[in-house]
Every structure is written in C-alpha cells, then in structure tokens.
Amino acid sequence: MSVSAPSPTRARPFAAAAAVCLFSFAVFWVAQRLAHVNMLDVMVYRAEAETLRAGGDLYAMRATSANLAMTYPPFAAVLFLPLTLVSVPLMRTLSTAGNLLLVVALVQLSLQLVRPALSRAGSLAGSLAGGRIGSRLGSRLGSRADLWRTTLWVAAVVVWCEPVWTTLRYGQINLLIAVAVLWDLTRREGSRWAGVGIGLATAVKLTPGLFVVLLFAAGLLLWRRDRTLNQWLRTALTATGVFLVTTLTMALALPADSRTFWTRTLFETGRVGHAEETANQSLSGVLARLMHTDAPGLWWVAAAALLGGAAMVLAVRAALRGDKAVAVIVTAFTALMVSPISWSHHWVWCVPLLILLYDRSTRAWPVTGAVALAFASFALWWVPHDPGRPELHQNAGQMLLSAVYPLTATAVFAGYALARWRARTPRTGAGRATEPDAKAEADAESVTREPQAVAKE
C-alpha cells in the first residue's frame, strides 16, 4: 500500500493557519512586553520553591512587592522546583512560551472533547454528518491535518480573550490545570492513564476535585444500571488514588507544611484576596459587591448550593446521555461559580465553551459571538478597582460589568436547560407532539447521543 505525499492544495491551508497563529502569538508576546506585564504569580511560585529548598515555612512565606502568600497545597511547591534552576528573565520567557503552547493544547483537546473521533486519522465527515445541529465541526475536520489546521486558527484568536491574556500576564498555571483535566477526559475507552491528570491537578489546586464528583456520580449511576466497571468510574477511582497518594506522600515528606495547609490555610479564604475585588468572578464576588461587604456569608453558601446543585444535575444527566462535552464544561463552570475566589484568569474554560457553542448551537455565530464578546471585552476592568477597595461602593451599572463572567455562565446554563426542556416537551394542545416537533426532539436526542455512538465506532 503506497502512501501519497500531501498535495499542495492541502498543505497551503495548513501553512496559512500556522503562519497566522505564529504571527498572532508574536504580536501577543510583543503586546505583553509593551504592557510591562509583571508576571507576579510565577515570581511567587519561584519563591515558594526557593523556600522549600531552604527548608523554610511555606505558609509563612511572603513574596513580591504585593506581599503575596502561598495558597496551594504543599505539592505545588514541589512542582515549581524547576523554576529555581534558571534565571528570572529566562524563567519568564519559558513561562510565556510554555503557556502559548498550552493554548494550542487546550484548543486541540477541546476539539477532541466536543468531537471524540477527531483524535483519529481519517475522514469523519460521513460519520458525523447525521446530526442536524452538531455536524458543523464534523463537516470541516476530516483528518489529523484538518484538526491541526483548525486548532491553529482557533488558537490564533482565543489567545486574545481576557482569561488567557491575564493568565500569561501573571504567569499563572490555569492553562496547565485545564489541559491536565482535558487530557484525562479525552482518552480512549479503557485507557489506564485516564484520571492521572485530574488527580495531580487536584493535588495542586483543589477545585478540579469537582470533576471527580462528576465522574463518581455518573459512574455509579451507570454501574447501578449496567453492573459493569465503566470508564467514568475507572477514571474517578484513578484520579482519587493519584490525589491520595500524592497528598499522603507530601504529608510524609513535608509534615509541618501539610498540617498547616489542611488544618488552617485551607479555610483562610481571605488569604487569597478580598472577596469583592472585581477580578473575583465567582458567586461570592458578585454577592460581595452587591451587598457592599467583603463577607457575603450564608447568602453565598445558599446561592452556591442552589446553583451548584442544579448545574451538577445538568452535568450528570448529560454524562448519562453520553454527552461528555456538555458534562465536562458545565462542571468546569460550576467549579468557577461556587468557589469562594475565582479570579478572571481562572476562566480559561471559556475556550472549550466557545468551541462547544459553535458546534452545537442552531445559531452558531450570534450565540458564540455574544459569549466570545463577554470574554474578550475586558468589561470587568472598566469599573474602578484596586486601591481603596472601590468595589465596595459600586453602582448598578458597575455591578453588571464586574459580574460579566458569572452572568454569562448563568445564561448559558439557563439556555441549555431550556433547550433540553423544549426538546422533550410536546407543544400541541391535544398533548401529543406534531410531526415537526417530534422530528425536532429526535434530532436533539440524536445530537446528545452522537458523541457516545462515535466513541464506540
């Protein structure tokens, strides 16, 4: 069997995508330098690793002119040890370059999450063309080359959204966490490695633990139905095992620091920053600004429980239908919403959300464009912030702008729930669906079942 060389007509679009992506990244790099970004967080990471090497108290450490403290579990300091092996200028360069590569990885994994069979070579157009709503990506991505070409085009654009910009501005690890989670959740059925990424991510930053909740909930419900050890449950068990082994190893290696974190630092939410800061895009931040207080207390607990519970029901139901993309993205946004602090740069999960919306929405460009505008507008920074804590005195318009991410996420949740309800509810007075309504419901169900069907091919 002979293998033909790539045709010039196929090579040219790929070369164009690569050139545009490289140009966009280069301009982005220059723009960050012209903006004099301080990369504050990567400097804190380095200080944590230096404190660990010196045998100091990790949670008594303060670093940079902002007097920032360590807020992650002890394992994070071990992960940051390589930062101490290079000079500060080289560390900043490597951090920026690494995060730009992670943007590409995040886009590609997001495409594979939305369309599982995209991780394979060969044409998918025929197998994916059956879904009326969901065939948009399938009709464009026919091979690994097509996947890479689309990845580069999308990466060239999403690098400019506010969460990604701010992640690179601070040298944050949000992209690494998201990639670790998605790497697990895009593995082939039966992969023994699925769960390692989520376990390690949770050992570094606890919020990915909500994905373990999703995995266990969906896995146990499927096990109860089929009495078989399914992929959801296997991944949950692996993630839990990796997290426990990593955490217990740190307890043995760093007993004092581990005891400090798990008994004291974990509960000091004010250690991270003030809840009302406009950069805090969680429910806690919205309520703090709405109530003009830095401690929304039980109001936040009630709101987080209500919204978080409802959203996780949507996520688990999507998982049981085989729609992993919806389940994963809803879980990610739920974690961001219910966390006491979710800085704007934590919202890099907007990247897979935008891909999902474009692929699934009947009005792809208007819906995706509106959500993209929310994440690319930098609207939350249009209000007074930082010195003097002006967020405690915002007016109604400023509150709306500084709640742009939670409002967008809530709108997406509500829109999805409404679409599911409409797809399942008959619309005739006689209590029986008309033929067009029945067909629409069947189409909607075929779209939600499609990822599972394709994964089994």
Side-chain angles (χ1 to χ4, degrees):
M1 178 178 177
S2 62
V3 179
S4 59
S7 66
T9 56
R10 291 183 66 85
R12 279 196 294 269
F14 179 84
V20 169
C21 186
L22 286 173
F23 177 76
S24 178
F25 282 9
V27 174
F28 180 92
W29 196 314
V30 171
Q32 290 251 317
R33 294 299 172 269
L34 292 176
H36 302 292
V37 296
N38 52 25
M39 303 192 73
L40 207 61
D41 286 335
V42 76
M43 295 299 298
V44 176
Y45 300 157
R46 181 187 178 94
E48 293 167 4
E50 288 174 338
T51 302
L52 179 62
R53 291 184 63 179
D57 185 343
L58 284 175
Y59 298 99
M61 177 219 76
R62 293 295 185 273
T64 75
S65 58
N67 200 36
L68 297 176
M70 180 172 180
T71 58
Y72 296 157
F75 177 62
V78 176
L79 187 70
F80 299 144
L81 281 174
L83 298 178
T84 64
L85 303 179
V86 297
S87 65
V88 170
L90 180 57
M91 177 191 70
R92 294 186 181 204
T93 299
L94 292 175
S95 174
T96 301
N99 269 324
L100 288 174
L101 290 176
L102 286 170
V103 172
V104 176
L106 178 61
V107 171
Q108 183 161 125
L109 289 172
S110 299
L111 288 167
Q112 293 178 14
L113 176 71
V114 173
R115 290 286 153 189
L118 293 180
S119 58
R120 306 171 191 168
S123 176
L124 297 171
S127 63
L128 295 178
R132 178 175 63 87
I133 298 174
S135 62
R136 196 167 287 110
L137 284 177
S139 64
R140 287 162 170 74
L141 302 176
S143 67
R144 293 292 292 178
D146 295 325
L147 172 61
W148 272 104
R149 184 174 68 245
T150 303
T151 296
L152 294 173
W153 279 113
V154 175
V157 176
V158 299
V159 71
W160 294 96
C161 67
E162 191 275 341
V164 176
W165 169 277
T166 311
T167 288
L168 273 84
R169 171 189 176 186
Y170 292 129
Q172 259 281 349
I173 59 170
N174 308 302
L175 291 165
L176 179 62
I177 296 293
V179 166
V181 171
L182 287 182
W183 186 88
D184 273 353
L185 297 172
T186 53
R187 294 304 90 205
R188 292 178 180 236
E189 183 78 19
S191 171
R192 68 181 63 183
W193 297 104
V196 173
I198 295 174
L200 291 175
T202 307
V204 172
K205 195 171 186 177
L206 299 181
T207 48
L210 192 60
F211 289 100
V212 181
V213 175
L214 168 70
L215 291 165
F216 268 121
L220 288 172
L221 288 171
L222 288 171
W223 176 84
R224 184 180 178 184
R225 185 184 70 189
D226 303 328
R227 298 295 175 178
T228 58
L229 185 61
N230 54 75
Q231 184 66 39
W232 293 90
L233 200 50
R234 281 195 297 267
T235 304
L237 292 170
T238 300
T240 303
V242 169
F243 169 76
L244 290 176
V245 168
T246 303
T247 302
L248 290 174
T249 300
M250 289 299 99
L252 294 174
L254 302 169
D257 291 320
S258 295
R259 183 169 56 253
T260 299
F261 177 81
W262 293 106
T263 62
R264 192 180 72 211
T265 306
L266 175 62
F267 306 101
E268 296 175 350
T269 56
R271 181 186 183 92
V272 182
H274 299 298
E276 82 279 358
E277 291 183 39
T278 191
N280 182 15
Q281 291 291 293
S282 70
L283 281 176
S284 173
V286 173
L287 289 172
R289 293 186 289 271
L290 183 64
M291 299 168 63
H292 304 295
T293 176
D294 62 352
L298 292 178
W299 288 102
W300 162 65
V301 174
L306 182 63
L307 185 142
M312 288 307 293
V313 168
L314 290 178
V316 172
R317 286 184 174 179
L320 295 179
R321 289 195 307 274
D323 197 343
K324 185 183 287 186
V326 169
V328 169
I329 293 171
V330 169
T331 300
F333 275 75
T334 302
L336 293 168
M337 294 275 278
V338 304
S339 176
I341 299 288
S342 288
W343 302 127
S344 68
H345 50 76
H346 294 166
W347 289 71
V348 293
W349 286 95
C350 66
V351 174
L353 172 65
L354 291 171
I355 292 172
L356 178 69
L357 289 175
Y358 176 75
D359 185 47
R360 301 288 181 86
S361 177
T362 53
R363 293 177 294 177
W365 283 114
V367 172
T368 310
V371 175
L373 181 61
F375 288 105
S377 64
F378 288 70
L380 71 159
W381 300 113
W382 299 352
V383 303
H385 55 277
D386 289 337
R389 301 176 67 180
E391 294 96 334
L392 290 173
H393 310 286
Q394 288 184 349
N395 58 38
Q398 292 170 339
M399 287 180 188
L400 286 174
L401 288 175
S402 62
V404 60
Y405 293 175
L407 289 175
T408 300
T410 303
V412 170
F413 287 170
Y416 173 72
L418 181 61
R420 290 295 312 161
W421 178 78
R422 284 179 173 175
R424 301 178 66 87
T425 304
R427 301 183 189 178
T428 61
R432 186 171 58 189
T434 62
E435 183 177 345
D437 287 334
K439 183 179 185 301
E441 180 176 348
D443 286 341
E445 290 296 325
S446 71
V447 170
T448 57
R449 287 195 301 266
E450 185 182 349
Q452 187 178 40
V454 171
K456 292 180 179 179
E457 288 181 359

